[in-house]
Amino acid sequence: MAIIGLILIVVGIVLFFVQKNYSTKLQSIRSATASTAAELQRIAGEIATEIGSGNLREYVKIRGTVRCANPLISELKEVPCVYYSMRVVREYEEDYTTRDSDGKTRRATRRGSETISSNTQSIPFTLQDRSGEITVNPNDGNIETVQVLNEFRRENVAGSALSFGNFTLSLSGDFGSGRRTLGYRYTESILPCDREVLAIGTAADEGGQVTLRKPTAKDKKCIISLKSEEELSQDTANAAKGFFYGMIAAFVVGVILVIVGLVKG
Protein backbone atom coordinates (compact mmCIF):
# COMPACT_ATOMS: atom_id res chain seq x y z
CA MET A 1 0.00 0.00 0.00
CA ALA A 2 2.85 2.36 0.84
CA ILE A 3 4.41 1.69 -2.55
CA ILE A 4 1.17 2.66 -4.32
CA GLY A 5 1.12 5.81 -2.21
CA LEU A 6 4.66 6.71 -3.25
CA ILE A 7 3.75 6.14 -6.89
CA LEU A 8 0.77 8.51 -6.52
CA ILE A 9 3.02 11.14 -4.93
CA VAL A 10 5.36 10.89 -7.92
CA VAL A 11 2.34 11.24 -10.22
CA GLY A 12 1.35 14.33 -8.25
CA ILE A 13 4.81 15.84 -8.76
CA VAL A 14 4.55 15.23 -12.51
CA LEU A 15 1.07 16.81 -12.58
CA PHE A 16 2.44 19.82 -10.70
CA PHE A 17 4.87 20.60 -13.50
CA VAL A 18 2.22 19.96 -16.18
CA GLN A 19 -0.20 22.27 -14.39
CA LYS A 20 2.52 24.89 -14.03
CA ASN A 21 3.18 24.74 -17.78
CA TYR A 22 -0.51 25.35 -18.57
CA SER A 23 -0.67 28.18 -16.02
CA THR A 24 2.33 29.85 -17.66
CA LYS A 25 0.69 29.44 -21.05
CA LEU A 26 -2.54 31.01 -19.78
CA GLN A 27 -0.63 33.93 -18.28
CA SER A 28 1.20 34.37 -21.60
CA ILE A 29 -2.08 34.56 -23.52
CA ARG A 30 -3.53 37.13 -21.14
CA SER A 31 -0.42 39.30 -20.74
CA ALA A 32 0.46 39.68 -24.43
CA THR A 33 -0.56 43.02 -25.93
CA ALA A 34 -3.01 42.84 -28.84
CA SER A 35 -1.45 44.39 -31.92
CA THR A 36 -1.44 44.52 -35.72
CA ALA A 37 1.27 44.22 -38.33
CA ALA A 38 1.07 47.91 -39.22
CA GLU A 39 1.27 48.98 -35.58
CA LEU A 40 4.36 46.85 -34.97
CA GLN A 41 6.02 48.24 -38.08
CA ARG A 42 5.22 51.79 -36.90
CA ILE A 43 6.63 51.19 -33.40
CA ALA A 44 9.76 49.59 -34.86
CA GLY A 45 10.25 52.65 -37.07
CA GLU A 46 9.83 55.07 -34.17
CA ILE A 47 12.30 53.16 -31.99
CA ALA A 48 14.79 52.97 -34.87
CA THR A 49 14.56 56.74 -35.31
CA GLU A 50 15.11 57.43 -31.61
CA ILE A 51 17.75 54.89 -30.57
CA GLY A 52 18.54 52.85 -33.67
CA SER A 53 17.18 49.73 -35.36
CA GLY A 54 17.15 46.32 -33.70
CA ASN A 55 15.78 47.53 -30.34
CA LEU A 56 12.12 46.55 -30.64
CA ARG A 57 11.13 44.00 -27.98
CA GLU A 58 7.37 43.78 -27.49
CA TYR A 59 5.43 40.76 -26.22
CA VAL A 60 2.34 40.77 -28.41
CA LYS A 61 -0.49 38.73 -29.88
CA ILE A 62 -1.61 39.17 -33.45
CA ARG A 63 -4.17 37.38 -35.59
CA GLY A 64 -3.57 36.84 -39.29
CA THR A 65 -3.27 34.35 -42.13
CA VAL A 66 -0.28 32.09 -42.73
CA ARG A 67 1.41 32.88 -46.06
CA CYS A 68 4.49 31.23 -47.53
CA ALA A 69 5.82 31.43 -51.09
CA ASN A 70 8.08 28.39 -50.69
CA PRO A 71 6.44 26.11 -48.12
CA LEU A 72 7.71 22.85 -46.71
CA ILE A 73 6.36 19.63 -48.19
CA SER A 74 5.46 17.27 -45.38
CA GLU A 75 7.42 14.03 -45.33
CA LEU A 76 4.59 11.49 -45.39
CA LYS A 77 1.41 13.08 -46.75
CA GLU A 78 3.39 15.44 -49.00
CA VAL A 79 1.25 18.50 -48.42
CA PRO A 80 2.46 22.14 -48.29
CA CYS A 81 2.88 23.58 -44.81
CA VAL A 82 5.16 25.72 -42.63
CA TYR A 83 5.53 23.10 -39.89
CA TYR A 84 5.12 19.34 -39.70
CA SER A 85 5.67 16.57 -37.21
CA MET A 86 5.75 12.94 -38.33
CA ARG A 87 6.11 9.60 -36.57
CA VAL A 88 6.43 6.01 -37.69
CA VAL A 89 5.54 3.41 -35.06
CA ARG A 90 6.14 -0.32 -35.36
CA GLU A 91 3.38 -2.43 -33.85
CA TYR A 92 4.29 -5.99 -32.87
CA GLU A 93 3.25 -8.98 -30.79
CA GLU A 94 5.36 -11.25 -28.63
CA ASP A 95 4.98 -14.33 -26.45
CA TYR A 96 5.65 -14.10 -22.73
CA THR A 97 5.41 -16.35 -19.70
CA THR A 98 3.77 -15.62 -16.34
CA ARG A 99 3.91 -17.58 -13.10
CA ASP A 100 1.04 -17.63 -10.59
CA SER A 101 1.21 -17.98 -6.80
CA ASP A 102 1.13 -21.78 -7.11
CA GLY A 103 4.18 -21.79 -9.32
CA LYS A 104 2.29 -22.69 -12.48
CA THR A 105 3.44 -21.05 -15.69
CA ARG A 106 1.24 -19.75 -18.44
CA ARG A 107 2.19 -18.60 -21.92
CA ALA A 108 0.35 -15.70 -23.48
CA THR A 109 0.70 -13.15 -26.26
CA ARG A 110 0.77 -9.40 -25.87
CA ARG A 111 0.94 -6.48 -28.25
CA GLY A 112 3.37 -3.61 -28.08
CA SER A 113 4.72 -0.72 -30.11
CA GLU A 114 7.88 1.32 -30.57
CA THR A 115 8.71 4.50 -32.44
CA ILE A 116 11.25 3.76 -35.15
CA SER A 117 11.35 7.21 -36.77
CA SER A 118 10.18 10.74 -35.98
CA ASN A 119 10.92 14.12 -37.44
CA THR A 120 9.86 17.75 -37.00
CA GLN A 121 10.55 20.60 -39.41
CA SER A 122 9.54 24.26 -39.52
CA ILE A 123 10.33 27.38 -41.51
CA PRO A 124 9.69 31.10 -40.98
CA PHE A 125 6.51 32.34 -42.62
CA THR A 126 4.60 35.54 -43.25
CA LEU A 127 1.64 36.43 -41.06
CA GLN A 128 -0.74 38.69 -42.96
CA ASP A 129 -3.54 40.71 -41.40
CA ARG A 130 -5.69 43.52 -42.81
CA SER A 131 -3.05 46.14 -42.01
CA GLY A 132 0.04 44.45 -43.44
CA GLU A 133 2.38 41.58 -42.69
CA ILE A 134 5.21 40.47 -40.41
CA THR A 135 7.52 37.46 -40.30
CA VAL A 136 6.98 34.65 -37.78
CA ASN A 137 9.75 32.30 -36.69
CA PRO A 138 8.01 29.25 -35.15
CA ASN A 139 11.17 27.57 -33.81
CA ASP A 140 10.59 26.08 -30.33
CA GLY A 141 7.07 27.45 -30.28
CA ASN A 142 3.91 25.88 -28.88
CA ILE A 143 2.31 25.07 -32.23
CA GLU A 144 -1.23 23.81 -32.71
CA THR A 145 -1.49 21.52 -35.72
CA VAL A 146 -3.95 19.67 -37.92
CA GLN A 147 -3.54 15.91 -38.22
CA VAL A 148 -3.44 14.97 -41.89
CA LEU A 149 -2.42 11.32 -41.58
CA ASN A 150 -3.07 8.41 -39.23
CA GLU A 151 -2.71 5.20 -41.20
CA PHE A 152 -1.82 1.66 -40.19
CA ARG A 153 -0.24 -0.55 -42.82
CA ARG A 154 -0.20 -4.25 -42.06
CA GLU A 155 3.16 -5.22 -43.47
CA ASN A 156 6.33 -7.05 -42.44
CA VAL A 157 9.31 -5.79 -44.38
CA ALA A 158 12.14 -6.97 -42.15
CA GLY A 159 15.45 -6.87 -43.98
CA SER A 160 14.01 -4.52 -46.59
CA ALA A 161 12.92 -0.88 -46.38
CA LEU A 162 9.88 1.15 -45.42
CA SER A 163 8.60 3.71 -47.90
CA PHE A 164 5.79 6.26 -47.54
CA GLY A 165 5.69 9.54 -49.45
CA ASN A 166 9.14 11.14 -49.17
CA PHE A 167 10.03 8.90 -46.24
CA THR A 168 12.27 5.84 -46.57
CA LEU A 169 13.96 3.78 -43.88
CA SER A 170 16.19 0.74 -44.32
CA LEU A 171 15.44 -2.12 -41.93
CA SER A 172 18.10 -4.58 -40.84
CA GLY A 173 15.95 -7.11 -39.00
CA ASP A 174 12.87 -7.65 -36.88
CA PHE A 175 13.98 -5.33 -34.05
CA GLY A 176 14.28 -8.02 -31.39
CA SER A 177 14.03 -11.73 -30.85
CA GLY A 178 10.53 -13.09 -30.39
CA ARG A 179 8.78 -9.95 -31.56
CA ARG A 180 6.62 -10.40 -34.64
CA THR A 181 5.89 -7.27 -36.65
CA LEU A 182 2.18 -6.68 -37.28
CA GLY A 183 2.65 -3.51 -39.29
CA TYR A 184 3.51 0.17 -39.10
CA ARG A 185 1.45 3.20 -38.10
CA TYR A 186 2.21 6.46 -39.88
CA THR A 187 1.03 9.74 -38.34
CA GLU A 188 1.64 13.32 -39.39
CA SER A 189 0.40 16.73 -38.25
CA ILE A 190 0.98 20.09 -39.91
CA LEU A 191 0.49 23.82 -39.62
CA PRO A 192 -1.00 24.47 -43.07
CA CYS A 193 -0.60 27.50 -45.30
CA ASP A 194 -3.46 29.94 -45.84
CA ARG A 195 -5.02 29.29 -42.43
CA GLU A 196 -5.89 31.99 -39.93
CA VAL A 197 -3.93 31.70 -36.68
CA LEU A 198 -3.35 33.53 -33.43
CA ALA A 199 0.37 34.15 -32.96
CA ILE A 200 1.83 35.14 -29.59
CA GLY A 201 5.48 35.97 -29.06
CA THR A 202 8.15 38.63 -28.90
CA ALA A 203 8.11 41.09 -31.79
CA ALA A 204 11.70 42.06 -32.59
CA ASP A 205 13.23 44.34 -35.20
CA GLU A 206 15.76 42.10 -36.92
CA GLY A 207 17.64 43.76 -39.75
CA GLY A 208 14.86 46.25 -40.33
CA GLN A 209 12.22 43.49 -40.48
CA VAL A 210 9.72 42.86 -37.68
CA THR A 211 9.80 39.19 -36.66
CA LEU A 212 7.67 37.40 -34.11
CA ARG A 213 9.68 34.74 -32.27
CA LYS A 214 10.13 32.83 -29.02
CA PRO A 215 10.63 35.12 -25.98
CA THR A 216 13.84 34.87 -23.99
CA ALA A 217 11.94 35.11 -20.69
CA LYS A 218 11.02 31.69 -19.28
CA ASP A 219 7.65 32.92 -18.01
CA LYS A 220 6.46 33.77 -21.52
CA LYS A 221 5.72 31.42 -24.39
CA CYS A 222 5.64 31.51 -28.17
CA ILE A 223 2.20 30.20 -29.19
CA ILE A 224 0.69 29.63 -32.61
CA SER A 225 -2.91 28.51 -32.40
CA LEU A 226 -5.71 27.78 -34.85
CA LYS A 227 -8.24 28.76 -32.15
CA SER A 228 -9.57 32.20 -31.34
CA GLU A 229 -8.09 33.94 -28.31
CA GLU A 230 -11.25 33.25 -26.30
CA GLU A 231 -11.25 29.53 -27.17
CA LEU A 232 -7.53 29.19 -26.48
CA SER A 233 -7.82 30.94 -23.12
CA GLN A 234 -10.78 28.83 -22.05
CA ASP A 235 -9.22 25.52 -23.13
CA THR A 236 -5.94 26.39 -21.39
CA ALA A 237 -7.71 27.49 -18.20
CA ASN A 238 -9.75 24.26 -18.14
CA ALA A 239 -6.60 22.17 -18.62
CA ALA A 240 -4.74 24.03 -15.86
CA LYS A 241 -7.68 23.55 -13.50
CA GLY A 242 -8.04 19.86 -14.34
CA PHE A 243 -4.37 19.11 -13.76
CA PHE A 244 -4.43 21.14 -10.52
CA TYR A 245 -7.26 19.04 -9.07
CA GLY A 246 -5.58 15.88 -10.31
CA MET A 247 -2.34 16.92 -8.61
CA ILE A 248 -4.10 17.59 -5.29
CA ALA A 249 -5.96 14.27 -5.44
CA ALA A 250 -2.79 12.32 -6.22
CA PHE A 251 -0.88 13.98 -3.34
CA VAL A 252 -3.67 13.52 -0.79
CA VAL A 253 -4.42 9.90 -1.63
CA GLY A 254 -0.71 9.14 -1.95
CA VAL A 255 0.11 10.55 1.52
CA ILE A 256 -2.83 8.71 3.09
CA LEU A 257 -1.76 5.39 1.58
CA VAL A 258 1.84 5.90 2.69
CA ILE A 259 0.73 6.64 6.27
CA VAL A 260 -1.65 3.66 6.34
CA GLY A 261 1.05 1.41 4.91
CA LEU A 262 3.58 2.51 7.53
CA VAL A 263 1.08 2.07 10.37
CA LYS A 264 0.12 -1.43 9.24
CA GLY A 265 3.75 -2.30 8.61
Side-chain angles (χ1 to χ4, degrees), residues 27-265:
Q27 182 60 30
S28 296
I29 297 168
R30 292 173 173 173
S31 64
T33 303
S35 190
T36 66
E39 186 175 3
L40 291 174
Q41 297 285 5
R42 178 184 60 78
I43 295 174
E46 291 175 353
I47 293 176
T49 300
E50 293 179 4
I51 59 176
S53 62
N55 289 290
L56 172 66
R57 294 294 184 274
E58 293 287 335
Y59 189 62
V60 300
K61 49 192 170 189
I62 177 173
R63 191 162 191 85
T65 303
V66 176
R67 305 294 190 195
C68 188
N70 298 295
L72 290 170
I73 301 299
S74 66
E75 201 165 344
L76 298 176
K77 195 66 174 178
E78 298 181 283
V79 291
C81 58
V82 293
Y83 169 93
Y84 75 80
S85 176
M86 58 79 71
R87 187 178 301 273
V88 181
V89 176
R90 172 185 175 245
E91 297 187 11
Y92 60 84
E93 64 179 11
E94 62 181 348
D95 298 326
Y96 70 102
T97 301
T98 60
R99 188 183 300 273
D100 61 22
S101 57
D102 296 325
K104 295 180 180 180
T105 59
R106 181 177 65 89
R107 290 183 62 81
T109 301
R110 61 188 173 196
R111 295 188 61 163
S113 64
E114 59 183 341
T115 299
I116 61 171
S117 183
S118 62
N119 189 25
T120 298
Q121 294 289 332
S122 66
I123 57 173
F125 60 88
T126 298
L127 187 69
Q128 184 181 65
D129 66 7
R130 293 182 179 180
S131 69
E133 58 185 36
I134 62 170
T135 299
V136 176
N137 186 343
N139 280 350
D140 299 322
N142 188 324
I143 302 173
E144 184 180 337
T145 58
V146 176
Q147 188 174 71
V148 292
L149 179 67
N150 185 352
E151 181 178 331
F152 177 74
R153 291 187 173 183
R154 190 173 292 276
E155 53 191 351
N156 191 334
V157 291
S160 182
L162 289 178
S163 180
F164 195 123
N166 289 324
F167 169 79
T168 57
L169 177 67
S170 296
L171 303 177
S172 57
D174 202 26
F175 300 92
S177 59
R179 291 183 173 180
R180 301 177 293 277
T181 299
L182 299 174
Y184 298 87
R185 183 169 297 279
Y186 302 86
T187 58
E188 190 169 67
S189 297
I190 68 168
L191 178 61
C193 301
D194 303 321
R195 285 288 298 270
E196 190 173 274
V197 299
L198 173 67
I200 301 175
T202 295
D205 178 10
E206 300 177 349
Q209 182 181 44
V210 177
T211 300
L212 197 73
R213 55 173 173 77
K214 181 182 178 181
T216 55
K218 293 184 178 180
D219 62 339
K220 290 182 171 59
K221 291 184 175 292
C222 175
I223 303 169
I224 301 173
S225 175
L226 297 166
K227 298 184 179 74
S228 67
E229 182 180 345
E230 293 75 18
E231 291 173 329
L232 181 61
S233 294
Q234 188 60 55
D235 289 350
T236 305
N238 289 341
K241 185 183 297 184
F243 283 114
F244 174 78
Y245 288 132
M247 174 192 68
I248 296 299
F251 274 130
V252 171
V253 176
V255 170
I256 291 174
L257 290 179
V258 168
I259 293 174
V260 171
L262 292 175
V263 170
K264 286 186 175 182

